Amino acid sequence: FIDPSSASHPDSVLRLSSAVHRFAIPFINPKDQISFEASFDSCSKSHSNTIAALQQADNRRREIKAAMASGKVIHSTLSTSLKEYIPVINQILLSCKFQPEVARLDKHLVFSWSSGIEYNKHNKSKKFSDSEALMFELVLSIATYALSESNIGCDSCVDGDFPKASRQFAKTAGIVQYLGEDVLPNWMANSAQHAELENETLAETRVGVCLAMQHLYMAMAQQMAVATVLAKPGTPNYSLLGKLSSGIAVELETFVTTFRSKSPVHLSRIDSTFLTLITFLINIQQSLSLYFLGRSLWLDSEYGVAIAAISEATVAARTRTTPTGRGLPEIESTSPLQSLSSELTNYRKHMASLLQSWEKDNMLVYFNKVPPSVPADKALKPIRLKKVEEYCLDMKDPLPFSLPGVGDDQVSSPTEVESETNKSSAESSRGSNPPSYDDAMNNSSFQEQVDSDLARELQEKLNSE
């Protein structure tokens, strides 16, 4: 016989605590047949290391497309190819920046991607967005790497490996943080077409979206930390779990408010079932925080307040009666939340049994006064771990380009990424090796020119007809 008043938390608490969302990944247009080697043929002929790098970029990109085209994406394979591809595409980008007069195209490069964040299961046809900007390719590749890593985390969560899942989500948080705080602000700087771009571009290319996604993945990493504790045998530190669950709810609320305030257009494109899930998770985490608080107070012999906490947790886990009311959103028959329906039922039954047992014990043994709600001095303060694994690009020195014996009428105009660059700086690099990455980054005037070019590039070409 197990005394209900001292029963351990059921599996439903673990499963509700660890419920997360799996995003689709961005996809390269299957009709996209670009080749870096063919496009940069004339200016790379005299440089074997440049040719090798261009071939490597083509090979990795083919692997990425093949991984995406498979029936079921193997994210570990995709992430490996992206991890190898991203530094090379960035190297090509920097090479064009450092040598604007000789980085010429024999064939146009037009990159075509669809969004993963905006994917809607009710409208599975992918809308592709095109750009000639190398930065567009770099940003979408990094974003795909982030979402692929998050899917590895989801797989680990399903397998019950919560520590690994937590690390993966923290890694994803670091990647989208890098996009939102470093790469994209430089790209978007001084853009005169901000409103137009907001409407036309993919979610993965927006600063606000990446900043919001950082909070989502920090919350998911913290969920896995809670699940790790719950999965261990013995009585956990319920007070700590309550603070962590409250922190998760705050992090998820920050995700929504950041997304809504900084990129409302893209928030409106996201599958509505995902937003329903986020609403569900915020409220269930608030309920779990109160539940853990009640368990902690009971163990500390504060029986009356413990009963009040469980009562509040029960109310927070009820289905709301109005769309804006307190409680959980209704789980419709076709909703993905149906997979959590039985867990929610078991959680509610557990709390009802626990509350009944505690109230009986208090009435017969302890005689503690039960307050109508948890007093302010007993409420738990949220803990936000802000689990982020720092990410930055693996920078490589620029590749040499030159056009020996080739007239200007035999090649196309400069690539989009290096157009309008200062001509005097180009003259000094003609026919010579480019500066090293460190030397260029230590040159403040060069950095200002790079930022200016990136802004102009976005303004003139991103998603242009």
Side-chain angles (χ1 to χ4, degrees), residues 35 79 119 131 207 219 294 304 313 324 356 365 374 377 385 463:
S35 167
S79 286
Y119 175 77
S131 174
V207 171
T324 58
Q356 182 182 28
V365 181
V374 176
D377 63 333
L385 297 178
N463 288 331

Side-chain angles (χ1 to χ4, degrees), residues 87-99:
V88 182
I89 186 65
N90 187 55
Q91 184 180 30
I92 295 171
L93 169 67
L94 293 174
S95 302
C96 293
K97 278 291 180 187
F98 293 170
Q99 306 157 94

Side-chain angles (χ1 to χ4, degrees), residues 344-451:
L344 180 59
T345 298
N346 291 336
Y347 173 56
R348 287 168 171 167
K349 288 180 178 179
H350 166 68
M351 285 199 295
S353 174
L354 192 65
L355 187 59
Q356 182 182 28
S357 177
W358 284 6
E359 288 176 333
K360 180 179 179 181
D361 287 352
N362 189 53
M363 182 176 63
L364 297 176
V365 181
Y366 304 119
F367 308 109
N368 277 198
K369 181 180 179 180
V370 179
S373 61
V374 176
D377 63 333
K378 296 296 182 182
L380 297 176
K381 292 183 179 180
I383 291 178
R384 299 166 74 177
L385 297 178
K386 297 185 181 297
K387 291 175 70 67
V388 176
E389 182 180 315
E390 185 177 347
Y391 173 83
C392 62
L393 282 172
D394 178 16
M395 298 297 184
K396 297 184 177 183
D397 288 343
L399 301 162
F401 287 134
S402 62
L403 296 174
V406 180
D408 288 345
D409 59 338
Q410 292 177 269
V411 293
S412 69
S413 59
T415 61
E416 293 303 322
V417 71
E418 96 292 346
S419 65
E420 303 283 337
T421 304
N422 186 285
K423 184 174 286 188
S424 62
S425 66
E427 293 297 331
S428 64
S429 67
R430 186 191 301 274
S432 63
N433 288 331
S436 70
Y437 174 78
D438 288 337
D439 289 343
M441 291 299 102
N442 289 329
N443 186 328
S444 59
S445 62
F446 175 79
Q447 271 296 88
E448 292 172 1
Q449 186 63 48
V450 168
D451 291 347

Side-chain angles (χ1 to χ4, degrees), residues 33-90:
Q33 300 297 326
I34 69 167
S35 167
F36 292 105
E37 184 180 14
S39 294
F40 288 98
D41 179 59
S42 295
C43 62
S44 65
K45 282 182 177 178
S46 303
H47 307 282
S48 58
N49 58 331
T50 302
I51 294 173
L54 296 173
Q55 290 174 342
Q56 182 185 7
D58 285 337
N59 291 337
R60 295 295 83 75
R61 200 170 195 271
R62 279 192 289 269
E63 291 174 0
I64 293 166
K65 285 182 66 178
M68 291 176 173
S70 62
K72 183 178 180 180
V73 177
I74 301 175
H75 290 284
S76 57
T77 301
L78 177 60
S79 286
T80 298
S81 296
L82 284 162
K83 188 176 181 179
E84 295 174 357
Y85 176 65
I86 289 168
V88 182
I89 186 65
N90 187 55

Side-chain angles (χ1 to χ4, degrees), residues 318-332:
R318 290 175 182 167
T319 301
R320 60 179 57 170
T321 55
T322 62
T324 58
R326 186 185 181 189
L328 305 177
E330 183 178 358
I331 301 179
E332 299 177 353

